[in-house]
Amino acid sequence: MTTFSMGRRALIAAVAAIGLAGPVSAGGHQVLDSIHFLIPGGAGGGWDGTARGTGEALTESGLVGTASYENMSGGGGGKAIGYLIENADSNHGTLMVNSTPIVIRSLTGVFPHNFRDLTLVSGTIGDYAAIVVGKDSPINTMTDLIAAYDADPSATAIGGGSVPGGMDHLVAAMVMEAAGKDALGVKYIPYDAGGNAMAALLSGEIAALSTGFSEAVDLSNAGEVRIIGVTSAERVAAAPDAMTMMEQGIDTTFVNWRGFFAAPGLPDNKLAMYQDAIAKMYDTPEWETVRARNGWVNIHNPGDQFLSFLEEQEQVIGDLMKKLGFL
């Protein structure tokens, strides 16, 4: 079984921290005047949804006065990372969202930086992955997708909002490998974030889309796609009719963390305020509304806990990518 997640210790710490914390009355307890969110991909992707959902919860709960957003695509996320590093002194009011790809793309050399070059603020949520098809597709289950792949691999492309060897590609490869197929034989077509990948799915350019579960839920609720497989161990309440991979005989699970980074050299007092706002956010009803709507898993790994988690994941991902031939 292939399991790719936040790690047992991190989960236990997160549950303990969340479970023992008292309720927060955000009114009158504003922590920050404003936050500017830097999003390394285009609109409609998982990073975009995480940043905007977090900003929504922070501002509506009163923990932060205002939130603004900037999408900066390019280089598989490398453009935004480079910008934050090169303009560090003028970006103390900025948080950049990122996730598993910051580890993957550093390992593969897509960009020269890694998470150690930034200020680690906090891991925030986990998002399962999903495979979806267009609403009019003849494919209804993972069994159907695998049968189509067996019949004509070249005509059964799987798309994603990440670069080749990136997370969406890795998830598709993991799923197909667990289904007994050659992961390296999967035809993967990359797109700039979820919006463009969705357009390719609806046009028939790809047979299926590998994406984050929260994105899949939004698209499913809009009637644009059907979710044919989720990488959770059990069904998720946000899409109770969507079958897991495990239910369909594909022995794999996966959860992608998402969290926030700041510019290198961020003053300690500013870092503490960011971490305080995020920690308090978990106990607000505004956050629970956002979390439940997206089907996210709460993960809270601030500061040094975040560093330890990322270093552990770097080792796990590196080993897996070598096995699959990506490194």
Side-chain angles (χ1 to χ4, degrees):
M1 174 178 172
T2 304
T3 302
F4 201 18
S5 63
M6 70 229 34
R8 181 177 176 83
R9 290 193 301 275
L11 266 175
I12 292 172
V15 170
I18 294 165
L20 295 175
V24 169
S25 175
H29 294 277
Q30 182 171 304
V31 177
L32 287 157
D33 290 335
S34 64
I35 294 179
H36 180 66
F37 288 98
L38 181 61
I39 303 163
W47 287 332
D48 190 67
T50 301
R52 293 178 190 275
T54 301
E56 174 188 330
L58 287 171
T59 54
E60 292 191 2
S61 67
L63 289 167
V64 174
T66 61
S68 56
Y69 309 91
E70 179 181 2
N71 293 87
M72 185 179 290
S73 300
K79 181 178 179 180
I81 294 172
Y83 171 83
L84 196 59
I85 292 171
E86 292 161 13
N87 300 278
D89 291 343
S90 61
N91 277 281
H92 289 173
T94 297
L95 286 185
M96 182 188 69
V97 64
N98 219 293
S99 56
T100 309
I102 198 172
V103 176
I104 296 172
R105 289 166 186 168
S106 295
L107 287 170
T108 56
V110 172
F111 45 71
H113 309 293
N114 64 41
F115 56 83
R116 297 176 184 85
D117 297 314
L118 301 162
T119 296
L120 278 62
V121 178
S122 180
T124 308
I125 59 103
D127 188 15
Y128 297 112
I131 301 294
V132 305
V133 296
K135 60 182 179 181
D136 299 321
S137 172
I139 295 170
N140 294 298
T141 65
M142 286 301 302
T143 300
D144 291 344
L145 179 63
I146 293 164
Y149 174 81
D150 286 340
D152 191 348
S154 64
T156 312
I158 300 176
S162 66
V163 296
M167 197 191 71
D168 290 340
H169 188 184
L170 184 59
V171 168
M174 288 169 57
V175 169
M176 295 301 279
E177 185 89 354
K181 307 304 170 186
D182 179 6
L184 298 179
V186 176
K187 183 178 180 180
Y188 175 80
I189 301 179
Y191 299 91
D192 178 19
N196 291 337
M198 183 60 210
L201 180 66
L202 297 180
S203 71
E205 184 176 341
I206 53 178
L209 174 64
S210 171
T211 189
F213 177 70
S214 59
E215 298 165 68
V217 170
D218 287 344
L219 295 168
S220 177
N221 289 341
E224 296 180 325
V225 305
R226 293 194 309 275
I227 303 172
I228 62 169
V230 182
T231 62
S232 55
E234 299 177 349
R235 293 199 187 193
V236 183
D241 294 332
M243 290 194 296
T244 68
M245 298 295 176
M246 300 286 286
E247 284 181 271
Q248 301 177 79
I250 300 173
D251 194 15
T252 189
T253 60
F254 171 87
V255 64
N256 171 36
W257 62 269
R258 294 196 183 112
F260 293 96
F261 300 79
L266 184 75
D268 289 344
N269 65 331
K270 189 74 172 182
L271 173 60
M273 285 191 288
Y274 284 138
Q275 291 175 332
D276 185 34
I278 290 172
K280 289 176 176 175
M281 176 187 72
Y282 286 101
D283 297 305
T284 66
E286 290 82 6
W287 171 250
E288 179 56 23
T289 295
V290 171
R291 187 211 63 76
R293 182 177 72 216
N294 289 285
W296 293 336
V297 178
N298 279 330
I299 301 174
H300 186 206
N301 293 328
D304 290 342
Q305 293 178 40
F306 197 18
L307 175 61
S308 297
F309 165 68
L310 291 175
E311 289 179 338
E312 180 180 345
Q313 189 180 64
E314 185 178 51
Q315 182 65 50
V316 171
I317 290 174
D319 291 345
L320 178 60
M321 292 182 74
K322 287 174 184 175
K323 178 181 178 181
L324 295 176
F326 294 141
L327 291 181

